[in-house]
């Protein structure tokens, strides 16, 4: 199984959009639904689409912290940089730049901070078969 920082560098989310965010308090998970998730199997993405997961989820497991800056906006557009901040104890922290677009075409970056134990990709309807490497 890949380490979280390695796993996150193995996905491509450029030109992709955040469709939904699911906060599951009972499972301690944050699931970000993305219109398409691609895998990077070389040094660069290079338009590789054989393993694409359409409408898939980037799932953070064992979450004990999630925050949105600025608060109040629901991300619904482009996905920017994913910054891996490192480990503390048995969890890692990432900051994901998600975008909120309103009806007036005003776009705001929402820095989403998540502290979790693990990360995976989930195909719609296949929660029990998460992709971890």
């Amino acid at each position: 199984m890949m380490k979280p920082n390695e796993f996150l560098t193995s996905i491509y989310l450029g030109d992709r959009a955040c469709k939904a965010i699911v906060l599951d308090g009972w499972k301690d998970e944050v699931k970000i639904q993305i219109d398409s998730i691609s895998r990077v199997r070389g040094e660069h993405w290079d338009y590789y689409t054989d393993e694409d997961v359409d409408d898939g989820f980037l799932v953070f497991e064992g979450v004990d912290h999630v925050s949105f800056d600025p608060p109040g906006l629901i991300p619904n557009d482009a996905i920017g940089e994913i910054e891996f901040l490192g480990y503390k104890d048995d969890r890692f922290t990432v900051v994901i730049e998600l975008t909120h677009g309103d009806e007036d075409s005003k776009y705001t970056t929402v820095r989403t901070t998540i502290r979790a134990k693990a990360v995976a990709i989930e195909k719609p309807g296949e929660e029990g078969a998460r992709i971890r490497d």
Side-chain angles (χ1 to χ4, degrees):
M1 185 164 53
M2 298 173 94
K3 293 180 180 179
N5 57 323
E6 295 169 340
F7 186 82
L8 290 168
T9 59
S10 80
I11 60 173
Y12 176 79
L13 302 176
D15 303 324
R16 310 301 166 84
C18 173
K19 294 181 71 173
I21 297 177
V22 179
L23 305 175
D24 189 332
W26 282 24
K27 292 182 181 177
D28 294 330
E29 292 182 345
V30 174
K31 296 169 61 168
I32 302 172
Q33 188 175 31
I34 301 164
D35 63 340
S36 186
I37 301 170
S38 294
R39 298 304 300 270
V40 177
R41 294 301 189 187
E43 284 189 44
H44 305 287
W45 175 51
D46 201 27
Y47 303 96
Y48 173 69
T49 59
D50 291 351
E51 297 177 71
D52 280 10
V53 177
D54 292 329
D55 294 326
F57 294 88
L58 185 59
V59 182
F60 293 89
E61 304 166 326
V63 173
D64 70 353
H65 172 89
V66 61
S67 62
F68 303 93
D69 182 26
L73 298 175
I74 299 173
N76 62 0
D77 203 84
I79 300 167
E81 183 179 345
I82 299 175
E83 182 181 4
F84 188 86
L85 299 182
Y87 292 93
K88 183 173 182 184
D89 300 321
D90 63 343
R91 288 186 167 80
F92 62 92
T93 302
V94 295
V95 177
I96 304 171
E97 293 179 349
L98 302 172
T99 305
H100 168 81
D102 67 16
E103 57 275 351
D104 295 325
S105 297
K106 179 183 175 197
Y107 295 93
T108 304
T109 298
V110 180
R111 291 178 49 87
T112 306
T113 302
I114 301 170
R115 189 171 49 233
K117 288 184 176 182
V119 62
I121 294 171
E122 180 181 298
K123 293 180 180 179
E126 295 184 25
E127 186 173 312
R130 291 183 174 164
I131 300 164
R132 300 180 184 284
D133 57 10

